[in-house]
Amino acid sequence: MKSVRVVCAHDCPDMCSLIVHVDGGKVVRVQGDADHPYTAGFACGKVNRDADLVNSPERLATPLKRTGPKGSGQFKPITWDEALDEIAANWKAIIKSDGPLAILGYAYSAHQGLMNRGLVNGLFHALGTSRLQAGTVCDTCCEAAWDVTVGPVGGADPESVVHSDLVVAWGADLAATNVHFWALAEEQRKKRGIKIVVIDPRRTRSAKAADLYLPIRIGTDAALALGVMHILVRDKLADRDYIARHTLGFDQVEREILPKFTPARTAEITGLSVADIEKLAAMYGNAKAALIRLGEGMTRLTHGGQALRTVVLLPGVSGHYAVKGGGALLLTAASCDLNYAAIRKPSGPATARMVNHLRLGEELLNMKGPPIRALYVSANNPAVTCPEVHKVQKGLMREDLFTVVHDPFMTDTAKYADIVLPAASYLETDDLYRAYGAYWMQWGRKAVEPAGEARSNVDVAQALAKRMGLTDTIFALSPEDAARELFKGSTGPASKADPAKLFAGEPIHIAHDLDGQPFKTPSGKLEFYSEQLAKQGLPPMPDWVPDPVETAEAGKWPLRLLTAPGYFQAHTAFSGVGFLRTREGKPFCILHPEDAAKRGLKDGDQVRVFNDRGEIGLMLKVVDEVQPGVLLVPGQRPTGEALSGTINMLCSDRYTDMGEGATYQSTWLEVGAWKAAARVAAE
């Protein structure tokens, strides 16, 4: 028996330090690292089962070649040399006939290691292929909104909550998605009596434990923030000195926007009571150090950028950006200025054709000049996670599309592949990790050798680079030597880190100055008025107005979709663990008792969820976890686990107002009895 310190590579802001217990070359237990200041000795309920994940009997053991129709899941084992040779031969033929733009590399977030995620993208950058505009299904909208308001810099350090007297979880279910920050906040509540407010359309676990819970109407976050600003000004709780010295354009917002958002009108828009809005404003305005933890979910709708931008401005009115334990936290990665280009852009043209992540299906079907003829998917499952999944599936069915999938499991996407490659898990790889919800950087060593014939993303990227004739040095370096390249030319806090200590196993804290939030906007200030947005034809000041397209959709369908991470199946990366699948249950949706009664539905029913894009089948839970008029669907689940389909079949690939992000929450639909639907279809 031995113990190995590793780093969790799942797509989560905490990026925990873990201790893995290994017996006879097999992982037998995974637990939190008690010696790490942030991880503090515990891991989430999902990662605690990662021994089951790495040892899962469902893992792919060898490379596979398709033998049946696309999507049938019929394959035969082949050797690694056969697989890599066939991939390289196909790519070379496509480049010769159509050029490199006919190839698309699609690597994303299932492995958060900077090597195992970045070097795959580096391979395709060097080849000059079409490039994935990654993250639009997740965070490009919120990042764009933050950047035009605060600038490309990290937010508050979550560990500064020891100085806070109020925490506002705004659209963030911390108990599910940021569990170590939640633990710190709860500890401070017990020690010092700090208050916790949760603003969320769903009565989450975090909401149930909060001192104040506000069940806000989906898409009205900007209105609530403006309503709070109105009260802060009215009650002389605005920090005029901070506003004058550190913000731009507040006078115009105060004059033209805030008068519209009286408590009464804010209540009408948000669905909250005037009393609760007044209480929130009083708690926030009278706090000495209020920290807003922002969730990304509020931006996954048509006006998502405006929503987050407006909430981000709130600490500028109160002056909380100036104090330790105050301000706002969205992401921290922008303050870790490593030389990412060393891995992601070793060579290749400066620009190339871009393919938006969320519109993969559209581009597989309709992109020309040249069409996409080869697709390589690593660490992602677009046949489940992309909007308008039916388009993705149809595109993947193209016989003239040569598709390769590198994954530990036979995912929905892998079933459409021509070649499937078995991938190593994070417990079987060496890598460098930089958290995106905390200010820690760590080197994680593999705990065990890869199972079966699995190989890491780094190994495969380097093997394919060699076959494709690429000679960049990065494709010949070990993971540790490649990681050292990230520190050459790094800037900001990351440039002060000691790589020797890092690679010796010492976690490095890289927080920016905690004495106040820095701003990296063109003005160097927090921008209530944004010239950048004005130049893009977007509203330069925060506001809330109803969207005509959303209004039209709401007129056609009675229920609005709310998506959120599942507690045990946040996304398909955990699908390989039978225990977690059982804990989460069959893919389900949640409806308020009032809405269920209107439709003659009851808890445990099989239901049909549908709109004009299609229909899926889910199990129903009837509970007042959401407000009437909302249908909640937790988690991203494979199509084979549900009665039928997956929720993203019903979501549009329309863009958000900023960042060209996905608009999952701008989906309207209806629910009916599944059996009735099946009978009608049969007739």
Side-chain angles (χ1 to χ4, degrees):
M1 178 79 74
K2 67 175 182 177
S3 298
V4 183
R5 178 177 284 105
V6 305
V7 183
C8 178
H10 291 297
D11 189 358
C12 169
D14 288 5
M15 205 158 287
C16 299
S17 178
L18 304 171
I19 301 298
V20 176
H21 301 280
V22 179
D23 190 6
K26 181 178 179 179
V27 174
V28 295
R29 186 185 177 195
V30 176
Q31 65 182 114
D33 178 5
D35 292 330
H36 192 280
Y38 191 53
T39 302
F42 74 96
C44 71
K46 300 181 290 295
V47 171
N48 277 330
R49 307 297 303 197
D50 271 358
D52 294 350
L53 185 71
V54 73
N55 297 318
S56 173
E58 300 170 29
R59 285 189 64 177
L60 297 169
T62 66
L64 302 170
K65 182 174 181 177
R66 179 169 64 90
T67 58
K70 287 200 171 189
S72 67
Q74 299 176 47
F75 297 91
K76 69 175 183 180
I78 57 174
T79 67
W80 267 102
D81 281 340
E82 289 172 331
L84 295 172
D85 288 346
E86 182 163 340
I87 294 167
N90 273 278
W91 287 358
K92 288 176 180 177
I94 290 169
I95 290 172
K96 184 176 181 180
S97 64
D98 292 276
L101 294 181
I103 300 173
L104 175 64
Y106 188 108
Y108 193 48
S109 63
H111 196 308
Q112 287 285 320
L114 297 180
M115 302 300 104
N116 280 283
R117 180 173 175 177
L119 198 60
V120 179
N121 291 317
L123 167 67
F124 292 101
H125 197 282
L127 288 172
T129 68
S130 292
R131 293 172 189 162
L132 185 71
Q133 183 185 345
T136 57
V137 297
C138 181
D139 56 19
T140 57
C141 179
C142 66
E143 284 191 342
W146 176 274
D147 287 354
V148 298
T149 309
V150 179
V153 61
D157 189 331
E159 293 173 77
S160 72
V161 73
V162 297
H163 303 290
S164 305
D165 58 356
L166 176 67
V167 170
V168 181
W170 202 314
D173 183 5
L174 301 178
T177 61
N178 205 177
V179 66
H180 291 90
F181 178 74
W182 177 250
L184 277 174
E186 288 239 283
E187 180 183 27
Q188 293 305 308
R189 178 158 63 173
K190 292 175 183 177
K191 282 184 176 180
R192 300 188 294 109
I194 74 169
K195 301 298 183 183
I196 298 177
V197 175
V198 171
I199 303 169
D200 201 300
R202 179 188 187 187
R203 186 161 54 84
T204 62
R205 292 181 180 180
S206 309
K208 293 173 185 177
D211 297 289
L212 175 64
Y213 167 50
L214 301 178
I216 192 170
R217 187 172 288 149
I218 299 169
T220 64
D221 302 275
L224 179 57
L226 291 167
V228 172
M229 291 182 201
H230 176 104
I231 296 170
L232 294 179
V233 170
R234 183 198 69 189
D235 294 350
K236 296 181 171 51
L237 294 172
D239 187 331
R240 294 293 178 177
D241 180 61
Y242 185 85
I243 290 170
R245 290 188 295 113
H246 297 289
T247 75
L248 176 70
F250 179 73
D251 55 344
Q252 192 173 351
V253 171
E254 182 178 10
R255 185 173 60 251
E256 299 179 19
I257 305 296
L258 295 189
K260 298 187 294 183
F261 291 90
T262 62
R265 182 167 186 256
T266 302
E268 181 183 351
I269 294 168
T270 62
L272 304 173
S273 69
V274 169
D276 277 347
I277 294 167
E278 292 276 7
K279 184 175 182 179
L280 170 65
M283 290 175 71
Y284 188 77
N286 288 297
K288 302 299 182 184
L291 197 163
I292 300 176
R293 182 58 170 100
L294 297 150
E296 299 170 32
M298 77 168 81
T299 67
R300 295 175 189 144
L301 41 76
T302 308
H303 287 165
Q306 185 70 290
L308 186 123
R309 165 170 159 69
T310 307
V311 178
V312 165
L313 289 167
L314 194 52
V317 180
S318 62
H320 286 129
Y321 273 130
V323 297
K324 288 185 178 181
L329 169 61
L330 174 67
L331 301 168
T332 61
S335 285
C336 185
D337 302 307
L338 294 167
N339 179 21
Y340 299 109
I343 305 298
R344 302 171 185 173
K345 302 177 182 180
S347 62
T351 60
R353 182 173 68 178
M354 301 297 294
V355 173
N356 188 298
H357 193 155
L358 72 90
R359 288 194 172 169
L360 175 66
E362 177 70 22
E363 305 300 18
L364 288 178
L365 293 174
N366 297 313
M367 183 167 269
K368 307 296 181 187
I372 298 171
R373 292 190 51 208
L375 175 68
Y376 182 96
V377 179
S378 175
N380 204 237
N381 190 8
V384 172
T385 59
C386 284
E388 304 218 26
V389 162
H390 53 284
K391 288 185 181 179
V392 179
Q393 293 172 336
K394 188 175 179 181
L396 291 172
M397 285 292 290
R398 284 174 40 204
E399 283 296 333
D400 63 335
L401 178 70
F402 177 68
T403 302
V404 179
V405 173
H406 186 206
D407 200 277
F409 297 94
M410 182 58 71
T411 63
D412 282 35
T413 307
K415 291 175 183 177
Y416 293 94
D418 296 282
I419 301 289
V420 179
L421 306 174
S425 76
Y426 76 94
L427 295 174
E428 301 161 327
T429 58
D430 294 329
D431 216 322
L432 179 66
Y433 297 89
R434 173 229 62 212
Y436 65 82
Y439 285 100
W440 287 96
M441 188 160 51
Q442 302 177 77
W443 175 250
R445 297 195 180 279
K446 64 182 178 183
V448 293
E449 293 301 316
E453 296 181 25
R455 293 173 67 171
S456 72
N457 297 350
V458 169
D459 288 341
V460 176
Q462 291 182 333
L464 287 170
K466 183 177 180 181
R467 280 171 168 78
M468 295 301 293
L470 298 177
T471 58
D472 306 273
T473 303
I474 203 73
F475 295 119
L477 297 179
S478 68
E480 182 172 329
D481 287 338
R484 290 180 185 276
E485 297 296 308
L486 289 166
F487 292 90
K488 298 176 181 178
S490 63
T491 60
S495 65
K496 302 173 185 176
D498 184 347
K501 291 182 179 180
L502 186 71
F503 291 110
E506 180 179 330
I508 302 293
H509 193 259
I510 54 168
H512 60 66
D513 184 3
L514 294 180
D515 290 330
Q517 173 67 48
F519 302 115
K520 292 190 176 181
T521 55
S523 66
K525 297 181 177 183
L526 181 70
E527 296 196 351
F528 283 82
Y529 187 96
S530 171
E531 286 286 354
Q532 296 179 78
L533 291 177
K535 290 176 181 177
Q536 297 172 39
L538 295 171
M541 295 186 294
D543 202 349
W544 182 90
V545 292
D547 179 75
V549 175
E550 289 191 353
T551 301
E553 283 285 300
K556 292 168 58 179
W557 304 98
L559 298 172
R560 185 167 191 169
L561 175 66
L562 176 63
T563 59
Y567 286 111
F568 297 100
Q569 291 287 287
H571 41 64
T572 61
F574 293 102
S575 295
V577 182
F579 174 85
L580 295 177
R581 290 200 303 266
T582 301
R583 285 293 304 273
E584 187 76 8
K586 287 286 187 182
F588 63 92
C589 57
I590 292 176
L591 200 60
H592 189 276
E594 182 181 306
D595 287 325
K598 286 180 181 177
R599 293 161 176 79
L601 301 172
K602 63 183 185 303
D603 191 80
D605 279 353
Q606 297 178 344
V607 295
R608 171 191 180 221
V609 182
F610 61 97
N611 60 16
D612 49 11
R613 294 184 190 90
E615 67 177 40
I616 64 172
L618 298 171
M619 303 300 296
L620 177 66
K621 291 186 179 182
V622 179
V623 61
D624 62 354
E625 198 169 306
V626 293
Q627 297 294 301
V630 174
L631 182 80
L632 169 65
V633 179
Q636 300 274 1
R637 307 291 294 276
T639 56
E641 293 182 15
L643 294 172
S644 175
T646 185
I647 189 59
N648 288 332
M649 291 177 172
L650 309 184
C651 299
S652 166
D653 60 8
R654 185 185 179 198
Y655 287 156
T656 52
D657 52 350
M658 303 175 201
E660 295 187 341
T663 54
Y664 299 111
Q665 320 293 10
S666 292
T667 302
W668 275 262
L669 34 72
E670 178 58 293
V671 177
W674 175 256
K675 290 181 180 178
R679 184 171 62 252
V680 170
E683 292 172 354

